[in-house]
Amino acid sequence: MVSMKTKQATAWNQILKMVSNKVDKHTFECFFEGIELDEVTDNQVTLVVPSSLAKQFFSHSVDASNTLKDAISNVYGHDYQNISYLTPDEAKLLRNHSELKKVTSYGEPQTNSHFFSNCKINPNYTFDNFVVGDCNRDAVRASLLIANSPGVAYNPLFIYSKSGLGKTHLLHSIANFYLEKHPKAKVLYITSDAFIDEFVKYVKGSQESQSLKDYFSDVDLLLVDDIQFLSDKTKTAEMFFYIFSQLFNNGHQIVLTSDRHPKDLKGLEERLVSRFYMGLSVNMQSPDTDTLLEILKRKIVSRGLDLKKFDPEGLIFIAEKFSHNVRELEGALNRLLFSLSSNENKYVSLDEVKATFSYLQGIESNDKKNLSEDDVIDEVARYYHLNSEIIKSKNRKAQVALARRIAMYLCRYLLQSSLKTIGKVFSRDHSTVITAVSKVEKELKTNTLMLKAVSDIKKSLKAA
Ligand code: ADP
Ligand code: MG
């Protein structure tokens, strides 16, 4: 008598063989080979895939999951439309708690717990789709270092920036990167709000807070978003302090984010704040136009849209208008795509973009005062004791190149000249102009000499 198990194993071998004839060798070895058949019922097949990455792969690739469906249906002679993919951890968990079977999904905390059920790791936030520029390079480097070897170099890592600049994205990237290499690790992403909620539930539920502490004790990597919300929550902060110290003392990595530097976190005990200092604190700034433009392009491509359908000047217009906050930039893209949704194949011209954001015109500064590009160049030349013609030439001396960049910047921001016009005046192409303007923009954040030059030249121009 052939056992049920043996029958199932034979069937699975047949299925894998069929699949191997349909997909390339590399994909087969990476994603299909290690799959185990967990359960076959009348209308559902449950598979255990080797890692959370493989689970992501099957959840997102319609082709891959159809190939499996076809092979399974073929071998079992029954049309299976419903396939569940579990990571080995999830499978183990579900074996112990079969009543939870229906609720697993990628990104759930990897231990069975009623804690933090709303805090999931978002598989769409990865290092691969995070655009790196001067504004965030330090934070990305530190995050990558941590994701590669947590608990070794900087503990805790503290990332701070204004809202909408990618802190949450980076935390999830660290989690995804680490989990890809260590699918069995216990990685926990939580917001400090969720921590407060969980703590309050505990206090109200008159349960011992011990199990909340226990829950954290075997976390390999703890990612806590928006820690500033712990301010003035003395009891919760005390609990957090305990958990933090426990993990820290055991060499487990903690990454925290906040909208401000630790020293500006008010309403938190000194002993906690001083712990935040012990590792590394990195700041992120608003991106320059170049970086914003790249982010915008990536977001367009990630939505399956063709970049060629967008006028580059239109994209630059958006990047410049929504320059403070990447979240706002994405909002602007959504708005644009919504206004175009009736005609997806249309070319999106600069005029189209301007029309969509026409409501912004009223709040634009009106510094123009009938100045021309040549007026700006003349004034910059006067300031730097140069000849106007040399500024427009190809001369590469440092002082001339600096004056040229500042002139381009002023044409762009003071006169709001189009890139085409500036390009023509300086005999340069689009991308050279945008790079020059971005460079000035970047330097103005730290270079006080340049800031003074720009403001003096502006003053003289207005007096002219
Ligand atoms: P924060 O947590 O700092 O408020 P988020 O991480 O929520 O910011 O980022 C807001 C949005 O902007 C997210 O959709 C994120 O993907 C996107 N974003 C921010 N910075 C970048 C970047 N450098 N590259 C790609 N996307 C980014
Ligand atoms: Mg955030």
Side-chain angles (χ1 to χ4, degrees):
M1 208 33 202
V2 184
S3 77
M4 199 49 196
K5 239 185 159 151
T6 321
K7 257 193 191 165
Q8 197 159 299
T10 314
W12 184 243
N13 281 338
Q14 268 179 288
I15 291 165
L16 278 186
K17 194 146 193 293
M18 287 177 91
V19 171
S20 72
N21 291 330
K22 296 226 160 129
V23 299
D24 69 87
K25 188 167 167 283
H26 181 68
T27 310
F28 182 77
E29 284 171 1
C30 264
F31 296 109
F32 291 87
E33 203 167 47
I35 303 178
E36 284 172 25
L37 186 59
D38 187 59
E39 193 181 37
V40 185
T41 64
D42 284 350
N43 51 18
Q44 160 132 2
V45 175
T46 308
L47 302 175
V48 182
V49 295
S51 63
S52 49
L53 178 71
K55 177 163 175 171
Q56 254 191 90
F57 173 74
F58 286 108
S59 311
H60 288 99
S61 165
V62 179
D63 281 353
S65 101
N66 280 345
T67 307
L68 266 178
K69 263 183 213 163
D70 289 350
I72 294 170
S73 305
N74 213 312
V75 169
Y76 277 93
H78 177 86
D79 190 19
Y80 283 106
Q81 283 309 314
N82 219 347
I83 303 187
S84 298
Y85 301 97
L86 302 177
T87 63
D89 272 5
E90 287 169 342
K92 205 157 76 191
L93 211 97
L94 291 178
R95 261 174 225 131
N96 297 336
H97 301 270
S98 50
E99 75 278 11
L100 289 175
K101 196 147 199 160
K102 290 170 236 77
V103 297
T104 55
S105 70
Y106 174 78
E108 273 186 43
Q110 304 197 343
T111 50
N112 170 35
S113 173
H114 46 288
F115 294 117
F116 302 106
S117 51
N118 292 326
C119 291
K120 291 181 181 157
I121 295 164
N122 182 343
N124 298 320
Y125 283 160
T126 63
F127 285 118
D128 285 345
N129 59 23
F130 195 77
V131 178
V132 185
D134 288 349
C135 54
N136 57 25
R137 187 163 284 113
D138 285 350
V140 174
R141 269 199 201 138
S143 301
L144 265 169
L145 196 83
I146 298 300
N148 269 295
S149 12
V152 179
Y154 304 113
N155 206 8
L157 171 65
F158 192 99
I159 305 173
Y160 66 102
S161 80
K162 281 191 271 176
S163 167
L165 298 185
K167 297 183 292 296
T168 299
H169 190 135
L170 274 184
L171 284 190
H172 287 277
S173 305
I174 295 173
N176 284 314
F177 187 96
Y178 190 68
L179 278 171
E180 200 175 313
K181 288 195 179 166
H182 308 274
K184 292 193 176 140
K186 184 167 169 185
V187 176
L188 191 60
Y189 164 85
I190 58 170
T191 60
S192 63
D193 269 348
F195 187 80
I196 296 165
D197 277 358
E198 214 60 71
F199 182 70
V200 170
K201 259 193 260 164
Y202 251 101
V203 175
K204 283 195 180 147
S206 72
Q207 281 157 302
E208 284 294 316
S209 55
Q210 188 57 38
S211 55
L212 186 59
K213 288 179 182 169
D214 287 346
Y215 176 71
F216 281 92
S217 64
D218 60 345
V219 165
D220 298 296
L221 181 52
L222 175 64
L223 310 158
V224 189
D225 214 355
D226 292 320
I227 195 78
Q228 71 274 9
F229 295 129
L230 279 192
S231 291
D232 297 323
K233 301 267 186 303
T234 317
K235 286 263 180 264
T236 320
E238 220 166 76
M239 175 68 134
F240 186 74
F241 179 72
Y242 176 90
I243 287 163
F244 181 102
S245 305
Q246 192 187 24
L247 287 176
F248 179 85
N249 293 337
N250 288 327
H252 294 188
Q253 181 72 47
I254 302 148
V255 187
L256 308 161
T257 73
S258 164
D259 66 349
R260 65 203 78 178
H261 188 276
K263 77 172 163 23
D264 300 319
L265 284 168
K266 304 277 179 265
L268 269 177
E269 266 189 75
E270 183 50 36
R271 60 180 182 151
L272 187 55
V273 172
S274 67
R275 294 237 156 180
F276 296 165
Y277 275 108
M278 287 189 310
L280 174 72
S281 306
V282 282
N283 178 232
M284 291 201 284
Q285 300 278 341
S286 302
D288 53 80
T289 312
D290 262 351
T291 310
L292 283 165
L293 201 55
E294 182 59 27
I295 295 174
L296 193 58
K297 287 180 183 167
R298 296 249 201 125
K299 300 277 176 195
I300 290 174
V301 172
S302 74
R303 283 160 197 237
L305 298 165
D306 184 358
L307 258 187
K308 286 194 218 91
K309 297 228 167 79
F310 292 81
D311 182 342
E313 287 241 24
L315 298 184
I316 291 164
F317 180 92
I318 301 174
E320 285 180 345
K321 288 283 175 281
F322 297 90
S323 58
H324 306 298
N325 181 316
V326 182
R327 194 176 292 119
E328 281 176 18
L329 182 83
E330 279 194 272
L333 177 63
N334 288 339
R335 198 190 154 98
L336 178 70
L337 298 180
F338 178 74
S339 71
L340 299 168
S341 53
S342 55
N343 186 356
E344 283 180 5
N345 285 320
K346 189 159 98 183
Y347 182 75
V348 186
S349 65
L350 175 61
D351 285 344
E352 202 89 48
V353 174
K354 280 187 172 165
T356 306
F357 299 106
S358 55
Y359 66 93
L360 291 172
Q361 302 300 335
I363 50 173
E364 265 173 14
S365 66
N366 190 15
D367 286 334
K368 203 165 167 172
K369 296 204 173 152
N370 296 326
L371 291 168
S372 71
E373 287 76 20
D374 279 328
D375 293 332
V376 169
I377 294 169
D378 288 346
E379 199 48 52
V380 173
R382 223 182 331 270
Y383 187 87
Y384 284 104
H385 307 290
L386 294 167
N387 177 317
S388 298
E389 286 312 308
I390 203 170
I391 294 188
K392 290 197 262 181
S393 75
K394 303 267 175 199
N395 187 302
R396 297 171 71 161
K397 272 193 187 152
Q399 183 77 349
V400 177
L402 171 70
R404 184 179 302 125
R405 282 199 297 276
I406 290 188
M408 287 182 177
Y409 171 84
L410 288 170
C411 289
R412 186 71 180 150
Y413 284 108
L414 204 60
L415 310 190
Q416 289 167 19
S417 314
S418 72
L419 291 174
K420 210 168 171 180
T421 310
I422 304 174
K424 232 185 193 162
V425 174
F426 290 87
S427 314
R428 304 289 204 285
D429 62 17
H430 261 171
S431 62
T432 313
V433 178
I434 188 90
T435 305
V437 171
S438 288
K439 202 164 173 199
V440 175
E441 221 180 332
K442 239 180 275 172
E443 268 188 64
L444 283 176
K445 284 182 186 152
T446 51
N447 184 338
T448 43
L449 257 182
M450 186 186 271
L451 204 62
K452 183 170 179 333
V454 167
S455 112
D456 286 351
I457 296 166
K458 270 188 184 169
K459 266 188 221 147
S460 318
L461 279 167
K462 279 184 194 161

